[in-house]
Amino acid sequence: MPKHKRTSAHRPGRARLAAATAAAAALTGSLVALSAGSASAVPGASATQPHEADFNLDGYPDVAVSSPEATVGGQARAGQITVFYGSANGIGAAKRATLTQSSSGVPGTPEAGDMFGYATSPGDFNRDGFTDLAVGTPYEDMPGDTDGGTVTVLWGSSSGLKGGTTIADPAPSSHDRFGFDVVAGDFDGDAKTDLATADTSKDVRVFKGGISRTGTVGSATSVSTPLRTSSPYHLRKLTAGDVNADGRDDLVVSGNHVGDGDYLVNYYLPGTTSGPSATATALPGGIISDIGDLNGDGFGDVVTGLSADGSNSEGQPGTSAGGSIHVTYGSATGPDGGSTAISQDTAGVPGTGEASDLFGWEVSVGDVNGDGHSDIVVGTPAEDGAASGTDDSGAVTVLYGSASGVTGTGAQSFTQATAGVPGSSERGDQFGTDVLLSDFDGDGRSDLAVGVAGENAGNGALTVLRSSGGKITTTGALSLSPSAVGVSTAGTPQFGAVLGG
């Protein structure tokens, strides 16, 4: 069985509440969640994380696709995860598994509004070689605590993800929505996978020293961040990767700044021998990030999506028409190796920046062409199609890394109106709700998975475009619908809203 090779750090899929960001007002649908780590001996990643999510350890990367609003057992918005297992032919409907809180061995019970799978992150928490999956269910009601939230680890095995263990909230009375985001990484460099979690406070809860199947962790600590705490403007997003190449994962935290206005800020917390440092360095604003080595210098570079623009930014610094991404290059001293911004108005990038496009709503890094430089895919779910009546049909853009970093040279754009892409561009489809670059067929090149959460009035869909070896291509393109993979289409399941892999 061929083994895959990864040359960048993949961000696990994670969720973001649209109601908590002004930019989401541009969407016509009820887009609730958006996503997409670390790896051994690769820039931007740590020593303990799997190269990519391989839940059954067969050498092919897998992907966990959340439907956070799926109806389960008659319970609306209980949430469901569909796992697609990789193979020499990539992923498809035949080789998959369904996981809910009613699955054998998974803690909890499906209840209305839980949103199981709202946030996910892969990592080998018990050091058995199989990738596990941390799952945030932030709207789970806990005893005496409405929307207290919970975090579960689903365990990898030779037959894939099986059973799970609840991680105890170390401070349930001080916040709600435990598991609003989750991310795995080795933050202290002890070669054991840690787990960082977000909630409605400004504190990151860090579970260090690995996690056992009984729920035992080495230690549980808390790191304070300089973010706003008033709900819903709290710590929203966590990203892990090794920016300074010291063998420890660093942490990027995203949320709202403290002060006037509701604009979004990011802070870099370096990994130390005791875990993430509370010494925070400000980065360009935004809400969604990933980390990978775009210029091949051995340091992880931080890619941040700033989808807010002048039409909905509420004073957000650094905005561009339609949104942008900001790349902050890593160095031995952290994210201070220079920076660049790219939008749809950058030379070589297809399209034109238009108000409320939401370019940068999602980002993911991977190596599409195998040249050792991370590439970037950018989701633009509110992009309007060329045809009348295709508002918010969505698009994705692929940007390629090089020795000089990422530029618009050779950039590609895909919509459901692109020849060879399954489906058609329709109003509110939101193609690009989430994006993930991962090597599903184990050929050493990253393929592209695209979440289409608004497809068919919120049923959702998943589109997969494969790498030709040099570019993303539509040859062999695949589209999976919720009904084809066992997701109920009652309500608005938003299949594909969160991609974890």
Side-chain angles (χ1 to χ4, degrees), residues 2 36 50 138 177 268 273 351 395 406 443 462:
R177 300 179 201 155
Y268 166 78
T273 54
V406 65
D443 67 354
L462 180 71

Side-chain angles (χ1 to χ4, degrees), residues 189-289:
D190 67 352
K192 297 176 182 178
T193 303
D194 310 318
L195 177 66
T197 68
D199 50 54
T200 55
S201 74
K202 66 176 181 179
D203 297 331
V204 181
R205 320 287 167 179
V206 183
F207 302 88
K208 299 190 300 179
I211 301 170
S212 74
R213 286 178 176 263
T214 63
T216 301
V217 299
S219 66
T221 60
S222 179
V223 181
S224 183
T225 70
L227 296 171
R228 188 186 300 189
T229 58
S230 56
S231 183
Y233 302 112
H234 51 77
L235 200 166
R236 302 196 215 169
K237 180 76 174 50
L238 304 171
T239 305
D242 191 356
V243 174
N244 56 7
D246 65 353
R248 293 185 288 265
D249 268 331
D250 309 310
L251 192 63
V252 175
V253 298
S254 306
N256 285 77
H257 91 303
V258 176
D260 294 334
D262 289 330
Y263 62 84
L264 305 167
V265 292
N266 289 293
Y267 290 97
Y268 166 78
L269 309 181
T272 72
T273 54
S274 57
S277 170
T279 302
T281 300
L283 296 174
I287 192 62
I288 208 82
S289 296

